[in-house]
Amino acid sequence: METKIFQADQIDAAVEILKAGELVAFPTETVYGLGADATNEAAVKKVYAAKGRPSDNPLIATVADFAMAQEYAIDVPETAQKLVAKFWPGPLTILLKVKPGSLPTAVTGGLPTVAFRNPADSLTHELIAKLGRPIVGPSANTSTKPSPTTATHVYHDLNGKIAGIIDGGQTEIGLESTIIDLTVTPNIVLRPGAITPSELSAVLGTEVLLNHGKVGDKDVPKAPGMKYRHYAPKAQVLIVDQISDFNRINLSQKSVAVVALTDVLAELLKNYPNANHFSLGQNIADAGHFLFEALRYFDDLPEIKTIYVQGFGDAENAEAYMNRLNKAAAGKHFQ
Ligand code: TXA
Ligand code: MG
C-alpha cells in the first residue's frame, strides 16, 4: 500500500480514507497518533496489525470535544467536567466508564472503561469533526519503539502499512499525554505526562495519586500498555544519574553516544570533540520534547551499541521524562 502524506489543506482526503475503514496517522501536541474510525471494528483491528501491538492493550478514543466523549460514556463524574474545562484540548486523557456496546471491544480491550483524549491540534480537530466520530489514537510507532514526534518518524515505522499521514510538523511536547482514571476514588494518574498530579489535584480539590506500579504488580490499577517493553531503540540505553558520572565514560569510543542537556554536552565535547551526541536542549521541558527523537536518531547509526542518557532523578516536572527513559533503559543505570 502506498502511504500518502497529507498537508493542512488535504484533510478532506484523509477523512475519506477513515470513512473507507483505512488508517491515517495524525499530529497532536504530544506525539503522532495512528487513527482509525473507532466505531469500525475491522478498521480498529488494522491498527493493532500495523503497529504489531498486543491485542489486550486498549486504545484511546480521540474526540473533538467533551460532547463527543459523552456519547460513548456512562456515569460521567463531575470531576470529568472540571478537568475538561481546564485542560481540554490538551495533553490529558481521562478514563471513564464506557457505554456498553457503543464501541467495539477492540477499542476497550474488553475493559469496562474507555480512555478519552482531545488533543490540541487544529488539523486533527478538523479530521475528527468532519468524520463525526471518535478515532482511535495509539502512538503511531511500531510497538516497542519510541513514539513518533515527526511525520518522518511515522513514515519510517509505518510506510506501506497505512494509507496516509497528516503532516503537522514536529510535536510540541514530545511525551504522551497524562492518563487519569476518573472511575476510582481517589483518582489515579496511570501514566505521567505534561500535566502533573498536583495540577490535577489543584483543579479537583481532592487528592490525586500517581501510580508507581511496577511491571507484574497485580495490586495497582494501571494502563495495560505500561507493562510492555516500550520506547526501546536498538542500542542499550543507560541512565546517567549524576552529571559528574559522565566523566567516567570514555566517549571517544565509536560505539557509544551521549544524550544530555546542551550545557552538559558542551563540557563533555571539550574532552571528546568527536563524541556521538544528541542535545536535549536547555531544560527538562526541552528534554521531554527531544527524548524520543534522540533515541530514534541513533537507530539509524548501527555502530552505536550504548546510549548514555542524562537522568533528572526526582526533579520537579521530570516525572514523565524519567518514566519514559526508565522504560527505554529497561531500568538500567550507568554504575
Ligand atoms: O498522547 C497520547 O496519549 C498519544 C497521542 C497519539 O494521543 N496516544 C498514546 O496512545 O499514547 P497509546 O496507545 O500509545 O497509549 C495509551 C495508553 C496505553 O498504555 C493503554 O494501555 C492505556 O493508554 N489505556 C487505553 N485504554 C485504557 C483503559 N480503558 N484502561 C486503562 N488504560 C488504558
Ligand atoms: Mg504508545
Side-chain angles (χ1 to χ4, degrees):
M1 163 187 313
E2 186 206 347
T3 301
K4 296 199 185 91
I5 308 294
F6 296 112
Q7 302 301 332
D9 58 353
Q10 298 174 303
I11 302 303
D12 288 345
V15 172
E16 289 312 311
I17 290 180
L18 292 175
K19 282 185 181 162
E22 295 297 334
L23 312 185
V24 178
F26 59 88
T28 82
E29 76 281 41
T30 60
V31 302
Y32 274 74
L34 182 54
D37 178 346
T39 65
N40 179 340
E41 175 146 41
V44 173
K45 285 188 170 157
K46 290 181 189 168
V47 170
Y48 286 89
K51 280 179 61 73
R53 183 178 175 108
S55 61
D56 67 342
N57 188 4
L59 303 174
I60 290 174
T62 318
V63 295
D65 51 39
F66 190 42
M68 189 183 274
Q70 283 170 299
E71 289 176 41
Y72 301 89
I74 51 166
D75 302 343
V76 177
E78 245 178 75
T79 48
Q81 180 64 58
K82 281 188 190 165
L83 292 180
V84 161
K86 171 80 180 171
F87 295 112
W88 274 15
L92 179 70
T93 296
I94 59 172
L95 214 65
L96 298 174
K97 279 192 202 158
V98 66
K99 182 189 277 182
S102 68
L103 290 169
T105 51
V107 176
T108 59
L111 295 171
T113 53
V114 60
F116 291 103
R117 160 142 158 76
N118 177 4
D121 185 284
S122 57
L123 300 183
T124 292
H125 262 246
E126 186 184 339
L127 180 75
I128 301 171
K130 284 183 169 165
L131 181 70
R133 296 188 285 276
I135 57 176
V136 292
S139 48
N141 51 292
T142 299
S143 207
T144 80
K145 287 290 161 197
S147 298
T149 58
T150 64
T152 306
H153 293 162
V154 180
Y155 191 80
H156 180 276
D157 281 16
L158 300 176
N159 176 29
K161 296 181 176 173
I162 64 176
I165 303 169
I166 298 172
D167 189 353
Q170 191 152 32
T171 67
E172 186 192 326
I173 296 173
L175 301 176
E176 304 87 343
S177 61
T178 304
I179 303 178
I180 185 168
D181 187 347
L182 299 179
T183 69
V184 293
T185 311
N187 298 144
I188 300 181
V189 168
L190 300 179
R191 179 176 71 183
I195 297 171
T196 62
S198 56
E199 286 176 89
L200 295 164
S201 178
V203 170
L204 293 174
T206 56
E207 183 187 22
V208 173
L209 303 178
L210 177 61
N211 176 20
H212 288 288
K214 297 274 187 316
V215 173
D217 184 345
K218 292 201 177 59
D219 295 325
V220 283
K222 54 180 166 278
M226 300 306 277
K227 75 181 181 227
Y228 293 107
R229 182 165 183 265
H230 220 150
Y231 316 117
K234 289 177 189 149
Q236 167 74 61
V237 174
L238 290 175
I239 303 169
V240 180
D241 294 304
Q242 304 291 334
I243 291 171
S244 58
D245 290 341
F246 279 113
N247 297 321
R248 294 192 286 114
I249 302 168
N250 177 2
L251 295 175
S252 63
Q253 300 170 85
K254 290 280 165 252
S255 62
V256 310
V258 58
V259 173
L261 293 178
T262 302
D263 54 347
V264 174
L265 276 182
E267 285 303 310
L268 296 173
L269 290 172
K270 283 182 190 163
N271 292 331
Y272 299 103
N274 297 320
N276 298 302
H277 62 278
F278 196 102
S279 172
L280 289 174
Q282 314 295 326
N283 51 44
I284 288 173
D286 285 355
H289 175 84
F290 286 119
L291 177 65
F292 292 149
E293 185 174 358
L295 298 178
R296 280 179 171 268
Y297 175 78
F298 293 112
D299 263 2
D300 290 334
L301 304 176
E303 65 275 21
I304 305 293
K305 304 297 180 207
T306 312
I307 310 173
Y308 295 95
V309 184
Q310 184 172 358
F312 298 115
D314 51 13
E316 204 179 343
N317 296 329
E319 190 78 55
Y321 172 91
M322 288 306 294
N323 172 274
R324 306 313 190 274
L325 177 55
N326 255 301
K327 285 182 200 299
K332 290 207 179 75
H333 294 248
F334 172 64
Q335 302 289 341

